[in-house]
Amino acid sequence: MSGQKKYRGVAFLTKAGDGTDGLATVTLKVENAVNPSCPSTVAEVMVPPGTSVYNMLLQAFYNGDITFQASWYGQFWSHFIYSINGLEEDDKQGTYWSFEDGQGSAFDRGVDLISVYNGDTIVFRYVKY
């Protein structure tokens, strides 16, 4: 069972925050650097401060902003995101999903090990190595 199906509707926010509820507003951007003519996704996701990027993605999925697929890698204590909005990594083409902060700095850990806070921007970019 995928993480999205397993956690759908469990402990997720059902309404947007009003700025006084203590929730963090995080900007999620999904971009395709391999084919820049593909439309990007930009979503504002409300989560408790300190939420992992993975749980923020689950909230974005629950909100209907994105779809994604991930695999758990126990040796890294984190999920590996291999598909967003139907676009999958492809070893033969040398493509994968990178993720970084709003200033373009790539993270050195997995999505379960990075926390988000109010005003953060997380960018998932489909790239070729």
Side-chain angles (χ1 to χ4, degrees), residues 54 57 68-71 79-84 97 111 124:
Y54 182 74
L57 288 173
F68 75 99
Q69 294 180 320
S71 295
H79 287 87
F80 176 74
I81 307 301
Y82 64 88
S83 175
I84 300 177
W97 284 100
V111 293
F124 279 85

Side-chain angles (χ1 to χ4, degrees), residues 94-106:
T95 56
Y96 67 100
W97 284 100
S98 70
F99 82 109
E100 57 199 45
D101 65 19
Q103 282 75 48
S105 297

Side-chain angles (χ1 to χ4, degrees), residues 2 39 84 89 116 124 126:
S2 73
I84 300 177
E89 69 168 9
V116 294
F124 279 85
Y126 192 67

Side-chain angles (χ1 to χ4, degrees), residues 37-53:
S37 65
C38 289
S40 296
T41 298
V42 178
E44 299 292 318
V45 184
M46 305 290 290
V47 293
T51 295
S52 71
V53 170

Side-chain angles (χ1 to χ4, degrees), residues 17-45:
D18 63 6
T20 63
D21 52 16
L23 295 174
T25 300
V26 180
T27 302
L28 171 62
K29 295 182 179 182
V30 178
E31 302 174 348
N32 185 338
V34 175
N35 184 358
S37 65
C38 289
S40 296
T41 298
V42 178
E44 299 292 318
V45 184

